[in-house]
Amino acid sequence: MTEHTAPKHTPDLPTLSAYLDGELDHHAEQRVATHLVACPLCAARFAELQALSADFKALPMASLGFDLAGVIEGRLAAAPRSATARPERRWFSQWPLAIGAAASIAAGVFMGSALVAGRAAEVPRMAALRVFDIMPPGSLCIGLESCYRKESTQ
């Protein structure tokens, strides 16, 4: 069976790994131990984890033989400051940004006031309640009967 078709067991791989490392609380450790006795599939997987852990512990400890931090600090100290330092900015180099921001704000205020000022006299205050109509403004109509309410002649 593959990993995707295997039945789902209570202790998954991270739980078995935590059990091997002794990171579970007492109740969870008892549940996993009971399950490992009853389930040969999980017991085999736990044995594989134990073998893998033993193999990792058997690997030799690798060391450089010198302090790498000292080498890096020496190289950083020897690096030219002009390449790493941020260039100084003058106030006049910010003018294009300031002018662009001011122009966009002014254009937005002008366009917004032109839209509101032209329609303020035409639109009555009750127009705000139009959102409760059958079809709110801006909706797409399927047919004429869905967009227009039939007036009763009583």
Side-chain angles (χ1 to χ4, degrees):
M1 276 193 258
T2 64
E3 184 77 25
H4 299 289
T5 59
K8 189 125 176 131
H9 285 48
T10 303
D12 54 355
L13 192 59
T15 306
L16 285 176
S17 178
Y19 176 72
L20 176 66
D21 295 337
E23 296 174 349
L24 296 177
D25 62 357
H26 179 67
H27 297 293
E29 189 173 316
Q30 290 296 328
R31 282 194 309 265
V32 173
T34 305
H35 183 79
L36 287 176
V37 170
C39 179
L41 182 65
C42 289
R45 180 175 273 180
F46 183 69
E48 289 175 3
L49 281 176
Q50 284 177 321
L52 183 63
S53 177
D55 288 343
F56 279 137
K57 288 178 183 174
L59 288 174
M61 290 296 291
S63 66
L64 294 174
F66 61 91
D67 185 21
L68 186 60
V71 172
I72 293 174
E73 286 176 358
R75 288 186 182 176
L76 286 175
R81 290 288 179 188
S82 62
T84 59
R86 189 172 160 184
E88 184 180 329
R89 289 194 167 187
R90 302 268 182 211
W91 62 271
F92 54 83
S93 67
Q94 301 296 321
W95 274 105
L97 180 65
I99 291 172
S104 64
I105 290 172
V109 168
F110 173 74
M111 290 171 42
S113 65
L115 289 174
V116 173
R119 294 180 46 161
E122 303 171 7
V123 181
R125 289 187 174 267
M126 295 301 291
L129 296 177
R130 302 260 334 187
V131 295
F132 298 112
D133 283 350
I134 296 172
M135 297 294 290
S139 297
L140 296 176
C141 298
I142 297 172
L144 289 177
E145 60 275 354
S146 67
C147 284
Y148 299 104
R149 194 177 342 176
K150 293 184 180 178
E151 299 289 331
S152 62
T153 57
Q154 292 182 8

